[in-house]
Short mmCIF file of all heavy atoms in Angstrom, two decimals:
data_model
loop_
_atom_site.label_atom_id
_atom_site.label_comp_id
_atom_site.label_asym_id
_atom_site.label_seq_id
_atom_site.Cartn_x
_atom_site.Cartn_y
_atom_site.Cartn_z
N GLU A 471 91.81 87.30 106.08
CA GLU A 471 92.65 87.94 107.09
C GLU A 471 92.63 89.46 106.99
O GLU A 471 93.07 90.16 107.92
CB GLU A 471 94.09 87.43 106.98
CG GLU A 471 94.82 87.79 105.70
CD GLU A 471 94.60 86.81 104.56
OE1 GLU A 471 93.65 85.99 104.64
OE2 GLU A 471 95.38 86.87 103.58
N LEU A 472 92.10 89.99 105.89
CA LEU A 472 92.02 91.44 105.71
C LEU A 472 90.65 92.00 106.10
O LEU A 472 90.41 93.20 105.91
CB LEU A 472 92.31 91.80 104.25
CG LEU A 472 93.67 91.39 103.69
CD1 LEU A 472 93.78 91.75 102.21
CD2 LEU A 472 94.80 92.04 104.48
N HIS A 473 89.78 91.16 106.65
CA HIS A 473 88.39 91.58 106.84
C HIS A 473 87.86 91.42 108.26
O HIS A 473 86.67 91.20 108.46
CB HIS A 473 87.51 90.81 105.84
CG HIS A 473 87.70 91.24 104.43
ND1 HIS A 473 87.05 92.31 103.86
CD2 HIS A 473 88.53 90.76 103.46
CE1 HIS A 473 87.43 92.46 102.61
NE2 HIS A 473 88.34 91.54 102.33
N GLY A 474 88.70 91.54 109.25
CA GLY A 474 88.24 91.66 110.61
C GLY A 474 87.65 90.41 111.22
O GLY A 474 87.93 89.28 110.79
N LYS A 475 86.80 90.61 112.25
CA LYS A 475 86.30 89.50 113.06
C LYS A 475 85.20 88.70 112.38
O LYS A 475 84.95 87.55 112.76
CB LYS A 475 85.79 90.04 114.40
CG LYS A 475 86.89 90.64 115.27
CD LYS A 475 86.34 91.13 116.60
CE LYS A 475 87.44 91.73 117.47
NZ LYS A 475 86.92 92.22 118.77
N ASP A 476 84.51 89.30 111.44
CA ASP A 476 83.45 88.60 110.70
C ASP A 476 83.78 88.69 109.21
O ASP A 476 83.17 89.46 108.47
CB ASP A 476 82.09 89.24 111.00
CG ASP A 476 80.92 88.41 110.47
OD1 ASP A 476 81.17 87.38 109.80
OD2 ASP A 476 79.76 88.80 110.71
N PRO A 477 84.77 87.91 108.77
CA PRO A 477 85.32 88.13 107.42
C PRO A 477 84.32 87.92 106.30
O PRO A 477 84.32 88.68 105.32
CB PRO A 477 86.48 87.15 107.34
CG PRO A 477 86.22 86.14 108.40
CD PRO A 477 85.49 86.85 109.48
N VAL A 478 83.45 86.92 106.38
CA VAL A 478 82.53 86.66 105.28
C VAL A 478 81.58 87.84 105.09
O VAL A 478 81.33 88.29 103.97
CB VAL A 478 81.77 85.35 105.50
CG1 VAL A 478 80.67 85.18 104.44
CG2 VAL A 478 82.72 84.16 105.44
N ALA A 479 81.05 88.35 106.18
CA ALA A 479 80.14 89.49 106.09
C ALA A 479 80.87 90.71 105.54
O ALA A 479 80.30 91.47 104.72
CB ALA A 479 79.54 89.80 107.46
N ASP A 480 82.11 90.94 105.96
CA ASP A 480 82.84 92.11 105.49
C ASP A 480 83.27 91.95 104.04
O ASP A 480 83.26 92.92 103.27
CB ASP A 480 84.06 92.37 106.37
CG ASP A 480 84.59 93.78 106.20
OD1 ASP A 480 83.82 94.74 106.44
OD2 ASP A 480 85.77 93.94 105.80
N ILE A 481 83.64 90.74 103.63
CA ILE A 481 83.94 90.50 102.21
C ILE A 481 82.71 90.77 101.37
O ILE A 481 82.80 91.41 100.31
CB ILE A 481 84.43 89.04 102.00
CG1 ILE A 481 85.81 88.84 102.63
CG2 ILE A 481 84.49 88.71 100.51
CD1 ILE A 481 86.23 87.39 102.74
N ARG A 482 81.55 90.31 101.83
CA ARG A 482 80.30 90.56 101.10
C ARG A 482 80.08 92.05 100.92
O ARG A 482 79.81 92.52 99.80
CB ARG A 482 79.13 89.93 101.85
CG ARG A 482 77.77 90.22 101.20
CD ARG A 482 76.61 89.69 102.03
NE ARG A 482 76.58 88.24 102.05
CZ ARG A 482 76.90 87.49 103.09
NH1 ARG A 482 77.30 88.07 104.24
NH2 ARG A 482 76.83 86.18 103.02
N ARG A 483 80.17 92.80 102.01
CA ARG A 483 79.94 94.24 101.94
C ARG A 483 80.92 94.91 100.98
O ARG A 483 80.52 95.67 100.09
CB ARG A 483 80.09 94.85 103.34
CG ARG A 483 79.97 96.37 103.37
CD ARG A 483 80.53 96.96 104.65
NE ARG A 483 81.94 96.64 104.86
CZ ARG A 483 82.94 97.27 104.23
NH1 ARG A 483 82.68 98.23 103.35
NH2 ARG A 483 84.20 96.92 104.47
N TYR A 484 82.20 94.62 101.14
CA TYR A 484 83.21 95.29 100.33
C TYR A 484 83.11 94.88 98.86
O TYR A 484 83.21 95.74 97.96
CB TYR A 484 84.60 94.96 100.87
CG TYR A 484 85.72 95.59 100.06
CD1 TYR A 484 85.85 96.98 99.98
CD2 TYR A 484 86.64 94.80 99.38
CE1 TYR A 484 86.87 97.56 99.23
CE2 TYR A 484 87.67 95.38 98.64
CZ TYR A 484 87.78 96.75 98.57
OH TYR A 484 88.78 97.33 97.83
N ALA A 485 82.90 93.61 98.59
CA ALA A 485 82.80 93.16 97.20
C ALA A 485 81.61 93.79 96.49
O ALA A 485 81.71 94.20 95.32
CB ALA A 485 82.71 91.64 97.14
N LEU A 486 80.48 93.87 97.18
CA LEU A 486 79.30 94.50 96.57
C LEU A 486 79.57 95.98 96.29
O LEU A 486 79.23 96.49 95.21
CB LEU A 486 78.09 94.34 97.49
CG LEU A 486 77.52 92.93 97.60
CD1 LEU A 486 76.47 92.86 98.71
CD2 LEU A 486 76.91 92.48 96.28
N GLU A 487 80.16 96.67 97.25
CA GLU A 487 80.48 98.08 97.04
C GLU A 487 81.47 98.27 95.89
O GLU A 487 81.32 99.17 95.06
CB GLU A 487 81.05 98.68 98.33
CG GLU A 487 80.04 98.84 99.45
CD GLU A 487 80.67 99.39 100.72
OE1 GLU A 487 81.92 99.55 100.75
OE2 GLU A 487 79.92 99.65 101.68
N ALA A 488 82.49 97.41 95.84
CA ALA A 488 83.50 97.54 94.80
C ALA A 488 82.92 97.26 93.42
O ALA A 488 83.19 98.00 92.46
CB ALA A 488 84.67 96.60 95.09
N MET A 489 82.12 96.20 93.30
CA MET A 489 81.54 95.89 91.99
C MET A 489 80.64 97.03 91.51
O MET A 489 80.69 97.42 90.34
CB MET A 489 80.76 94.57 92.05
CG MET A 489 81.63 93.35 92.13
SD MET A 489 80.74 91.79 91.80
CE MET A 489 79.55 91.78 93.14
N GLU A 490 79.82 97.54 92.39
CA GLU A 490 78.90 98.62 91.99
C GLU A 490 79.67 99.87 91.58
O GLU A 490 79.36 100.50 90.56
CB GLU A 490 77.93 98.94 93.11
CG GLU A 490 76.89 99.99 92.74
CD GLU A 490 75.84 100.20 93.80
OE1 GLU A 490 76.08 99.85 94.98
OE2 GLU A 490 74.77 100.72 93.46
N ALA A 491 80.68 100.24 92.36
CA ALA A 491 81.42 101.47 92.08
C ALA A 491 82.28 101.36 90.83
O ALA A 491 82.40 102.32 90.06
CB ALA A 491 82.30 101.82 93.29
N LEU A 492 82.88 100.19 90.61
CA LEU A 492 83.82 100.03 89.50
C LEU A 492 83.15 99.59 88.21
O LEU A 492 83.77 99.65 87.14
CB LEU A 492 84.89 99.00 89.88
CG LEU A 492 85.77 99.32 91.10
CD1 LEU A 492 86.67 98.14 91.43
CD2 LEU A 492 86.61 100.57 90.85
N ALA A 493 81.90 99.14 88.27
CA ALA A 493 81.22 98.52 87.12
C ALA A 493 81.30 99.33 85.83
O ALA A 493 81.54 98.75 84.77
CB ALA A 493 79.77 98.21 87.47
N PRO A 494 81.12 100.65 85.84
CA PRO A 494 81.14 101.37 84.57
C PRO A 494 82.46 101.26 83.81
O PRO A 494 82.49 101.42 82.59
CB PRO A 494 80.86 102.83 84.98
CG PRO A 494 80.13 102.72 86.27
CD PRO A 494 80.74 101.54 86.96
N GLY A 495 83.55 100.99 84.52
CA GLY A 495 84.86 100.90 83.87
C GLY A 495 85.38 99.49 83.75
O GLY A 495 86.59 99.29 83.60
N LEU A 496 84.49 98.49 83.83
CA LEU A 496 84.90 97.09 83.75
C LEU A 496 84.21 96.39 82.59
O LEU A 496 83.09 96.73 82.22
CB LEU A 496 84.52 96.35 85.04
CG LEU A 496 85.15 96.83 86.35
CD1 LEU A 496 84.52 96.08 87.52
CD2 LEU A 496 86.66 96.65 86.34
N CYS A 497 84.89 95.36 82.05
CA CYS A 497 84.23 94.49 81.08
C CYS A 497 83.65 93.26 81.77
O CYS A 497 82.72 92.64 81.25
CB CYS A 497 85.17 94.08 79.95
SG CYS A 497 86.59 93.11 80.48
N ALA A 498 84.21 92.88 82.93
CA ALA A 498 83.75 91.67 83.62
C ALA A 498 84.31 91.65 85.03
O ALA A 498 85.23 92.41 85.37
CB ALA A 498 84.18 90.41 82.86
N VAL A 499 83.75 90.76 85.85
CA VAL A 499 84.31 90.48 87.16
C VAL A 499 84.70 89.01 87.18
O VAL A 499 83.96 88.15 86.69
CB VAL A 499 83.33 90.82 88.30
CG1 VAL A 499 82.01 90.08 88.15
CG2 VAL A 499 83.94 90.54 89.67
#
């Protein structure tokens, strides 16, 4: 419900961006 008209595609985009950006400060996802 937070990802617009094509939620799966937008979740994919956002999750990939978030994992890549946050990875240096994470131990796991």
Side-chain angles (χ1 to χ4, degrees):
E471 66 273 15
L472 300 177
H473 289 275
K475 295 181 180 180
D476 190 356
V478 172
D480 197 59
I481 291 167
R482 176 185 291 108
R483 176 197 60 78
Y484 179 64
L486 289 170
E487 290 178 354
M489 287 194 298
E490 183 174 20
L492 299 174
L496 298 173
C497 63
V499 57

